[in-house]
mmCIF file of all heavy atoms in Angstrom:
data_model
loop_
_atom_site.group_PDB
_atom_site.id
_atom_site.type_symbol
_atom_site.label_atom_id
_atom_site.label_comp_id
_atom_site.label_asym_id
_atom_site.label_seq_id
_atom_site.Cartn_x
_atom_site.Cartn_y
_atom_site.Cartn_z
ATOM 1 N N GLN A 30 142.388 127.461 166.951
ATOM 2 C CA GLN A 30 141.515 128.641 166.857
ATOM 3 C C GLN A 30 140.081 128.156 166.702
ATOM 4 O O GLN A 30 139.613 127.920 165.592
ATOM 5 C CB GLN A 30 141.917 129.498 165.662
ATOM 6 C CG GLN A 30 143.195 130.286 165.871
ATOM 7 C CD GLN A 30 143.472 131.196 164.680
ATOM 8 O OE1 GLN A 30 142.609 131.945 164.228
ATOM 9 N NE2 GLN A 30 144.677 131.101 164.145
ATOM 10 N N ILE A 31 139.423 128.025 167.823
ATOM 11 C CA ILE A 31 138.057 127.476 167.837
ATOM 12 C C ILE A 31 137.064 128.555 167.404
ATOM 13 O O ILE A 31 137.115 129.691 167.889
ATOM 14 C CB ILE A 31 137.728 126.926 169.242
ATOM 15 C CG1 ILE A 31 138.634 125.726 169.530
ATOM 16 C CG2 ILE A 31 136.250 126.529 169.354
ATOM 17 C CD1 ILE A 31 138.639 125.252 170.953
ATOM 18 N N VAL A 32 136.181 128.180 166.477
ATOM 19 C CA VAL A 32 135.181 129.147 165.998
ATOM 20 C C VAL A 32 133.763 128.737 166.391
ATOM 21 O O VAL A 32 132.832 129.538 166.295
ATOM 22 C CB VAL A 32 135.261 129.350 164.464
ATOM 23 C CG1 VAL A 32 136.605 129.938 164.059
ATOM 24 C CG2 VAL A 32 135.010 128.044 163.701
ATOM 25 N N TYR A 33 133.604 127.491 166.798
ATOM 26 C CA TYR A 33 132.264 127.015 167.174
ATOM 27 C C TYR A 33 132.404 125.822 168.100
ATOM 28 O O TYR A 33 133.277 124.974 167.895
ATOM 29 C CB TYR A 33 131.472 126.602 165.928
ATOM 30 C CG TYR A 33 130.137 125.959 166.257
ATOM 31 C CD1 TYR A 33 129.016 126.734 166.532
ATOM 32 C CD2 TYR A 33 130.011 124.566 166.320
ATOM 33 C CE1 TYR A 33 127.801 126.146 166.862
ATOM 34 C CE2 TYR A 33 128.792 123.973 166.648
ATOM 35 C CZ TYR A 33 127.704 124.773 166.911
ATOM 36 O OH TYR A 33 126.509 124.187 167.231
ATOM 37 N N GLU A 34 131.543 125.762 169.086
ATOM 38 C CA GLU A 34 131.545 124.600 169.974
ATOM 39 C C GLU A 34 130.156 124.391 170.542
ATOM 40 O O GLU A 34 129.487 125.339 170.951
ATOM 41 C CB GLU A 34 132.550 124.827 171.131
ATOM 42 C CG GLU A 34 132.612 123.646 172.080
ATOM 43 C CD GLU A 34 133.813 123.670 173.024
ATOM 44 O OE1 GLU A 34 134.492 124.709 173.135
ATOM 45 O OE2 GLU A 34 134.072 122.613 173.654
ATOM 46 N N ASP A 35 129.708 123.145 170.518
ATOM 47 C CA ASP A 35 128.502 122.784 171.269
ATOM 48 C C ASP A 35 128.801 121.474 171.994
ATOM 49 O O ASP A 35 129.956 121.047 172.060
ATOM 50 C CB ASP A 35 127.248 122.733 170.358
ATOM 51 C CG ASP A 35 127.324 121.651 169.285
ATOM 52 O OD1 ASP A 35 128.048 120.648 169.466
ATOM 53 O OD2 ASP A 35 126.653 121.791 168.241
ATOM 54 N N GLU A 36 127.776 120.834 172.519
ATOM 55 C CA GLU A 36 128.011 119.620 173.309
ATOM 56 C C GLU A 36 128.684 118.510 172.510
ATOM 57 O O GLU A 36 129.494 117.753 173.026
ATOM 58 C CB GLU A 36 126.669 119.088 173.825
ATOM 59 C CG GLU A 36 126.349 119.545 175.213
ATOM 60 C CD GLU A 36 125.062 118.958 175.726
ATOM 61 O OE1 GLU A 36 124.673 117.860 175.319
ATOM 62 O OE2 GLU A 36 124.443 119.650 176.544
ATOM 63 N N GLU A 37 128.332 118.440 171.224
ATOM 64 C CA GLU A 37 128.746 117.288 170.409
ATOM 65 C C GLU A 37 129.867 117.594 169.417
ATOM 66 O O GLU A 37 130.639 116.700 169.059
ATOM 67 C CB GLU A 37 127.510 116.789 169.639
ATOM 68 C CG GLU A 37 127.701 115.452 168.976
ATOM 69 C CD GLU A 37 126.412 114.942 168.342
ATOM 70 O OE1 GLU A 37 125.506 115.741 168.023
ATOM 71 O OE2 GLU A 37 126.338 113.711 168.148
ATOM 72 N N PHE A 38 129.957 118.860 168.970
ATOM 73 C CA PHE A 38 130.890 119.210 167.890
ATOM 74 C C PHE A 38 131.793 120.379 168.256
ATOM 75 O O PHE A 38 131.471 121.185 169.132
ATOM 76 C CB PHE A 38 130.105 119.574 166.618
ATOM 77 C CG PHE A 38 129.217 118.483 166.111
ATOM 78 C CD1 PHE A 38 127.840 118.586 166.227
ATOM 79 C CD2 PHE A 38 129.750 117.331 165.544
ATOM 80 C CE1 PHE A 38 127.006 117.567 165.776
ATOM 81 C CE2 PHE A 38 128.932 116.309 165.084
ATOM 82 C CZ PHE A 38 127.549 116.427 165.204
ATOM 83 N N LEU A 39 132.896 120.453 167.508
ATOM 84 C CA LEU A 39 133.836 121.565 167.659
ATOM 85 C C LEU A 39 134.319 121.947 166.262
ATOM 86 O O LEU A 39 134.566 121.060 165.434
ATOM 87 C CB LEU A 39 135.026 121.086 168.498
ATOM 88 C CG LEU A 39 136.057 122.135 168.907
ATOM 89 C CD1 LEU A 39 135.524 122.903 170.124
ATOM 90 C CD2 LEU A 39 137.382 121.491 169.289
ATOM 91 N N ALA A 40 134.429 123.241 166.006
ATOM 92 C CA ALA A 40 134.979 123.698 164.728
ATOM 93 C C ALA A 40 136.152 124.619 165.005
ATOM 94 O O ALA A 40 136.084 125.484 165.888
ATOM 95 C CB ALA A 40 133.908 124.423 163.912
ATOM 96 N N PHE A 41 137.230 124.415 164.259
ATOM 97 C CA PHE A 41 138.441 125.216 164.464
ATOM 98 C C PHE A 41 139.121 125.439 163.125
ATOM 99 O O PHE A 41 138.928 124.682 162.169
ATOM 100 C CB PHE A 41 139.406 124.531 165.457
ATOM 101 C CG PHE A 41 139.729 123.098 165.108
ATOM 102 C CD1 PHE A 41 140.856 122.779 164.358
ATOM 103 C CD2 PHE A 41 138.897 122.065 165.515
ATOM 104 C CE1 PHE A 41 141.154 121.474 164.025
ATOM 105 C CE2 PHE A 41 139.180 120.740 165.180
ATOM 106 C CZ PHE A 41 140.301 120.446 164.437
ATOM 107 N N ARG A 42 139.932 126.497 163.060
ATOM 108 C CA ARG A 42 140.587 126.854 161.796
ATOM 109 C C ARG A 42 141.683 125.850 161.457
ATOM 110 O O ARG A 42 142.453 125.437 162.333
ATOM 111 C CB ARG A 42 141.158 128.272 161.861
ATOM 112 C CG ARG A 42 140.042 129.296 162.040
ATOM 113 C CD ARG A 42 140.453 130.696 161.669
ATOM 114 N NE ARG A 42 139.405 131.633 162.032
ATOM 115 C CZ ARG A 42 138.389 131.990 161.253
ATOM 116 N NH1 ARG A 42 138.295 131.504 160.033
ATOM 117 N NH2 ARG A 42 137.464 132.853 161.679
ATOM 118 N N ASP A 43 141.735 125.469 160.177
ATOM 119 C CA ASP A 43 142.780 124.556 159.710
ATOM 120 C C ASP A 43 144.138 125.248 159.829
ATOM 121 O O ASP A 43 144.284 126.426 159.503
ATOM 122 C CB ASP A 43 142.513 124.162 158.253
ATOM 123 C CG ASP A 43 143.301 122.939 157.827
ATOM 124 O OD1 ASP A 43 144.554 123.031 157.757
ATOM 125 O OD2 ASP A 43 142.678 121.892 157.568
ATOM 126 N N ILE A 44 145.138 124.502 160.265
ATOM 127 C CA ILE A 44 146.474 125.055 160.484
ATOM 128 C C ILE A 44 147.130 125.460 159.156
ATOM 129 O O ILE A 44 148.007 126.329 159.125
ATOM 130 C CB ILE A 44 147.341 124.034 161.274
ATOM 131 C CG1 ILE A 44 148.432 124.713 162.060
ATOM 132 C CG2 ILE A 44 147.881 122.949 160.370
ATOM 133 C CD1 ILE A 44 149.065 123.823 163.114
ATOM 134 N N LYS A 45 146.688 124.847 158.061
ATOM 135 C CA LYS A 45 147.242 125.142 156.733
ATOM 136 C C LYS A 45 146.066 125.449 155.794
ATOM 137 O O LYS A 45 145.659 124.595 154.974
ATOM 138 C CB LYS A 45 148.001 123.900 156.243
ATOM 139 C CG LYS A 45 149.180 124.194 155.361
ATOM 140 C CD LYS A 45 149.914 122.923 155.009
ATOM 141 C CE LYS A 45 150.501 123.036 153.598
ATOM 142 N NZ LYS A 45 150.782 121.737 153.009
ATOM 143 N N PRO A 46 145.511 126.650 155.931
ATOM 144 C CA PRO A 46 144.263 126.941 155.209
ATOM 145 C C PRO A 46 144.416 126.901 153.689
ATOM 146 O O PRO A 46 145.385 127.407 153.138
ATOM 147 C CB PRO A 46 143.887 128.350 155.688
ATOM 148 C CG PRO A 46 145.111 128.908 156.318
ATOM 149 C CD PRO A 46 145.954 127.773 156.766
ATOM 150 N N ALA A 47 143.448 126.284 153.039
ATOM 151 C CA ALA A 47 143.431 126.184 151.583
ATOM 152 C C ALA A 47 142.462 127.193 150.973
ATOM 153 O O ALA A 47 142.246 127.205 149.759
ATOM 154 C CB ALA A 47 143.036 124.765 151.180
ATOM 155 N N ALA A 48 141.897 128.035 151.800
ATOM 156 C CA ALA A 48 140.950 129.068 151.353
ATOM 157 C C ALA A 48 140.910 130.136 152.440
ATOM 158 O O ALA A 48 141.335 129.874 153.579
ATOM 159 C CB ALA A 48 139.569 128.442 151.161
ATOM 160 N N PRO A 49 140.390 131.340 152.117
ATOM 161 C CA PRO A 49 140.332 132.394 153.150
ATOM 162 C C PRO A 49 139.614 131.924 154.422
ATOM 163 O O PRO A 49 139.996 132.294 155.527
ATOM 164 C CB PRO A 49 139.572 133.526 152.448
ATOM 165 C CG PRO A 49 139.868 133.336 150.991
ATOM 166 C CD PRO A 49 139.948 131.840 150.787
ATOM 167 N N VAL A 50 138.570 131.135 154.238
ATOM 168 C CA VAL A 50 137.930 130.484 155.395
ATOM 169 C C VAL A 50 138.123 128.981 155.231
ATOM 170 O O VAL A 50 137.685 128.405 154.227
ATOM 171 C CB VAL A 50 136.420 130.820 155.483
ATOM 172 C CG1 VAL A 50 135.772 130.041 156.632
ATOM 173 C CG2 VAL A 50 136.201 132.319 155.654
ATOM 174 N N HIS A 51 138.800 128.356 156.158
ATOM 175 C CA HIS A 51 139.013 126.905 156.120
ATOM 176 C C HIS A 51 138.940 126.403 157.550
ATOM 177 O O HIS A 51 139.854 126.615 158.352
ATOM 178 C CB HIS A 51 140.365 126.565 155.481
ATOM 179 C CG HIS A 51 140.574 125.082 155.286
ATOM 180 N ND1 HIS A 51 141.682 124.563 154.638
ATOM 181 C CD2 HIS A 51 139.825 124.008 155.643
ATOM 182 C CE1 HIS A 51 141.599 123.244 154.616
ATOM 183 N NE2 HIS A 51 140.482 122.875 155.223
ATOM 184 N N VAL A 52 137.824 125.770 157.819
ATOM 185 C CA VAL A 52 137.535 125.310 159.180
ATOM 186 C C VAL A 52 137.328 123.804 159.154
ATOM 187 O O VAL A 52 136.848 123.252 158.157
ATOM 188 C CB VAL A 52 136.264 126.075 159.675
ATOM 189 C CG1 VAL A 52 135.569 125.350 160.796
ATOM 190 C CG2 VAL A 52 136.627 127.495 160.100
ATOM 191 N N LEU A 53 137.713 123.146 160.226
ATOM 192 C CA LEU A 53 137.480 121.708 160.381
ATOM 193 C C LEU A 53 136.421 121.518 161.456
ATOM 194 O O LEU A 53 136.543 122.085 162.545
ATOM 195 C CB LEU A 53 138.778 121.000 160.781
ATOM 196 C CG LEU A 53 139.953 121.189 159.816
ATOM 197 C CD1 LEU A 53 141.245 120.652 160.441
ATOM 198 C CD2 LEU A 53 139.680 120.508 158.483
ATOM 199 N N LEU A 54 135.401 120.767 161.115
ATOM 200 C CA LEU A 54 134.313 120.494 162.058
ATOM 201 C C LEU A 54 134.415 119.034 162.463
ATOM 202 O O LEU A 54 134.430 118.145 161.597
ATOM 203 C CB LEU A 54 132.975 120.783 161.377
ATOM 204 C CG LEU A 54 131.703 120.473 162.163
ATOM 205 C CD1 LEU A 54 131.588 121.327 163.425
ATOM 206 C CD2 LEU A 54 130.472 120.673 161.282
ATOM 207 N N ILE A 55 134.511 118.795 163.756
ATOM 208 C CA ILE A 55 134.700 117.416 164.237
ATOM 209 C C ILE A 55 133.659 117.058 165.295
ATOM 210 O O ILE A 55 133.223 117.921 166.062
ATOM 211 C CB ILE A 55 136.116 117.202 164.853
ATOM 212 C CG1 ILE A 55 136.342 118.100 166.083
ATOM 213 C CG2 ILE A 55 137.206 117.427 163.823
ATOM 214 C CD1 ILE A 55 137.554 117.718 166.930
ATOM 215 N N PRO A 56 133.286 115.774 165.352
ATOM 216 C CA PRO A 56 132.567 115.317 166.538
ATOM 217 C C PRO A 56 133.589 115.223 167.664
ATOM 218 O O PRO A 56 134.741 114.834 167.426
ATOM 219 C CB PRO A 56 132.041 113.931 166.132
ATOM 220 C CG PRO A 56 132.878 113.488 165.000
ATOM 221 C CD PRO A 56 133.523 114.692 164.375
ATOM 222 N N LYS A 57 133.216 115.596 168.882
ATOM 223 C CA LYS A 57 134.180 115.544 169.988
ATOM 224 C C LYS A 57 134.565 114.098 170.298
ATOM 225 O O LYS A 57 135.680 113.815 170.701
ATOM 226 C CB LYS A 57 133.584 116.212 171.226
ATOM 227 C CG LYS A 57 133.472 117.729 171.091
ATOM 228 C CD LYS A 57 132.875 118.321 172.356
ATOM 229 C CE LYS A 57 132.889 119.839 172.285
ATOM 230 N NZ LYS A 57 132.269 120.432 173.473
ATOM 231 N N LYS A 58 133.604 113.206 170.105
ATOM 232 C CA LYS A 58 133.865 111.788 170.342
ATOM 233 C C LYS A 58 134.695 111.247 169.177
ATOM 234 O O LYS A 58 134.414 111.552 168.009
ATOM 235 C CB LYS A 58 132.513 111.072 170.401
ATOM 236 C CG LYS A 58 132.583 109.582 170.642
ATOM 237 C CD LYS A 58 131.145 109.034 170.592
ATOM 238 C CE LYS A 58 131.045 107.542 170.739
ATOM 239 N NZ LYS A 58 131.910 106.717 169.952
ATOM 240 N N HIS A 59 135.720 110.461 169.488
ATOM 241 C CA HIS A 59 136.585 109.944 168.442
ATOM 242 C C HIS A 59 135.892 108.919 167.554
ATOM 243 O O HIS A 59 135.341 107.931 168.029
ATOM 244 C CB HIS A 59 137.855 109.311 169.026
ATOM 245 C CG HIS A 59 138.787 108.832 167.954
ATOM 246 N ND1 HIS A 59 139.786 109.628 167.431
ATOM 247 C CD2 HIS A 59 138.834 107.665 167.275
ATOM 248 C CE1 HIS A 59 140.405 108.952 166.480
ATOM 249 N NE2 HIS A 59 139.846 107.758 166.366
ATOM 250 N N LEU A 60 135.939 109.180 166.256
ATOM 251 C CA LEU A 60 135.536 108.208 165.230
ATOM 252 C C LEU A 60 136.627 108.299 164.173
ATOM 253 O O LEU A 60 137.023 109.403 163.781
ATOM 254 C CB LEU A 60 134.182 108.584 164.619
ATOM 255 C CG LEU A 60 132.953 108.489 165.536
ATOM 256 C CD1 LEU A 60 131.779 109.259 164.961
ATOM 257 C CD2 LEU A 60 132.574 107.030 165.749
ATOM 258 N N ASP A 61 137.139 107.167 163.701
ATOM 259 C CA ASP A 61 138.281 107.177 162.780
ATOM 260 C C ASP A 61 137.996 107.917 161.475
ATOM 261 O O ASP A 61 138.836 108.640 160.948
ATOM 262 C CB ASP A 61 138.682 105.745 162.418
ATOM 263 C CG ASP A 61 139.349 105.032 163.586
ATOM 264 O OD1 ASP A 61 139.817 105.720 164.504
ATOM 265 O OD2 ASP A 61 139.397 103.792 163.557
ATOM 266 N N SER A 62 136.825 107.670 160.924
ATOM 267 C CA SER A 62 136.508 108.252 159.619
ATOM 268 C C SER A 62 135.012 108.132 159.380
ATOM 269 O O SER A 62 134.265 107.607 160.225
ATOM 270 C CB SER A 62 137.256 107.509 158.503
ATOM 271 O OG SER A 62 136.591 106.287 158.180
#
Side-chain angles (χ1 to χ4, degrees):
Q30 286 184 50
I31 294 168
V32 297
Y33 174 83
E34 181 166 13
D35 64 25
E36 264 183 28
E37 192 175 23
F38 301 108
L39 187 81
F41 52 94
R42 297 199 188 271
D43 196 293
I44 206 165
K45 211 176 147 201
V50 176
H51 186 175
V52 158
L53 303 170
L54 176 63
I55 62 166
K57 289 180 174 178
K58 180 183 177 312
H59 183 91
L60 293 163
D61 288 341
S62 79

